[in-house]
C-alpha cells in the first residue's frame, strides 16, 4: 500500500512539472527561417509597399493578435490598423496556440485575398467564435493576407 501511495505521488509530481500548453514558451523558429530577421519592415512600410501592387514578397515584423485554437494553423496580426490573416505555406508548419500578444517576424508574400463564406466559418470555429458570430457570416470578405514561408517568434 505504501508503495502505491509513493508511486501515485511521484506520478502526480512528474505530470505537474510538464506545465500546461498555455504556459509553454512560443519563442522559436517555425517553417523555413533561413533568412535575415533584421531585414524586417514595419506594418506601415508593408502597406506602402502594397500600394498599387497585387502582392509583395517581404519580411515583416509585428505582434500576433490571435492564433488558431484548434492546432495553430493560422494567426492574425495588426498591420497599420488593418487585420492581416496569416497562413503557412503548404500547411507545412504551425505556430503555438498561445501566440497571441507575442512579437513575430514573418517572411513570405503579402496580398489581398477573397475569403469564402465557408472558409470564414471554418476560421471562426477555429477561433472559438460563438454561434451568433458564426451565423452572422453570410458573405465573402476581401482580406489582407500573408502566406508565410517561415515565422520567428520572439
Amino acid at each position: 500500500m505504501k508503495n502505491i501511495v509513493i508511486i501515485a505521488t511521484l506520478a502526480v509530481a512528474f505530470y505537474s512539472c510538464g506545465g500546461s500548453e498555455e504556459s509553454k514558451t512560443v519563442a522559436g523558429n517555425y517553417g523555413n527561417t533561413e533568412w535575415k530577421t533584421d531585414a524586417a519592415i514595419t506594418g506601415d512600410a508593408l502597406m506602402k509597399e502594397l500600394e498599387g501592387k497585387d502582392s509583395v514578397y517581404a519580411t515583416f515584423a509585428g505582434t500576433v493578435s490571435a492564433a488558431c485554437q484548434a492546432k495553430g494553423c493560422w494567426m492574425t496580426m495588426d498591420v497599420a490598423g488593418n487585420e492581416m490573416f496569416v497562413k503557412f505555406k503548404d500547411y507545412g508548419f504551425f505556430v503555438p496556440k498561445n501566440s497571441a500578444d507575442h512579437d513575430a517576424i514573418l517572411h513570405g508574400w503579402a496580398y489581398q485575398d477573397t475569403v469564402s463564406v465557408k472558409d470564414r466559418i471554418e476560421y471562426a470555429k477555429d477561433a472559438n467564435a460563438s454561434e451568433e458570430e458564426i451565423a452572422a457570416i453570410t458573405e465573402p470578405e476581401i482580406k489582407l493576407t500573408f502566406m508565410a514561408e517561415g515565422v520567428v517568434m520572439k
Side-chain angles (χ1 to χ4, degrees):
M1 182 67 171
K2 183 178 175 182
N3 288 342
I4 293 173
V5 172
I6 291 171
I7 291 170
T9 303
L10 288 173
V12 169
F14 282 121
Y15 181 78
S16 65
C17 289
S20 70
E21 181 70 26
E22 297 306 311
S23 68
K24 291 181 182 174
T25 183
V26 300
N29 297 342
Y30 304 92
N32 176 0
T33 56
E34 295 179 11
W35 37 269
K36 296 182 187 270
T37 58
D38 59 355
I41 60 175
T42 65
D44 289 331
L46 181 63
M47 294 308 291
K48 285 186 187 220
E49 288 278 331
L50 272 170
E51 285 178 9
K53 297 178 185 171
D54 291 337
S55 61
V56 172
Y57 193 67
T59 301
F60 161 75
T63 302
V64 177
S65 305
C68 172
Q69 294 301 291
K71 57 185 169 184
C73 57
W74 56 261
M75 63 186 186
T76 59
M77 299 178 79
D78 179 57
V79 179
N82 300 291
E83 181 181 70
M84 179 171 69
F85 187 76
V86 180
K87 301 178 186 182
F88 308 118
K89 186 176 180 189
D90 300 327
Y91 283 100
F93 62 97
F94 303 128
V95 297
K97 295 186 279 186
N98 61 332
S99 295
D101 300 321
H102 289 83
D103 292 331
I105 303 172
L106 291 70
H107 185 73
W109 288 96
Y111 57 96
Q112 296 289 337
D113 192 21
T114 301
V115 183
S116 70
V117 171
K118 178 183 172 191
D119 286 346
R120 289 185 65 204
I121 290 171
E122 189 63 35
Y123 297 143
K125 288 178 182 177
D126 288 347
N128 295 326
S130 69
E131 290 298 321
E132 294 81 27
E133 291 170 311
I134 292 170
I137 300 171
T138 59
E139 295 185 18
E141 179 181 34
I142 296 175
K143 199 147 189 75
L144 176 61
T145 304
F146 197 95
M147 180 61 69
E149 296 174 359
V151 175
V152 175
M153 298 294 294
K154 299 292 181 180

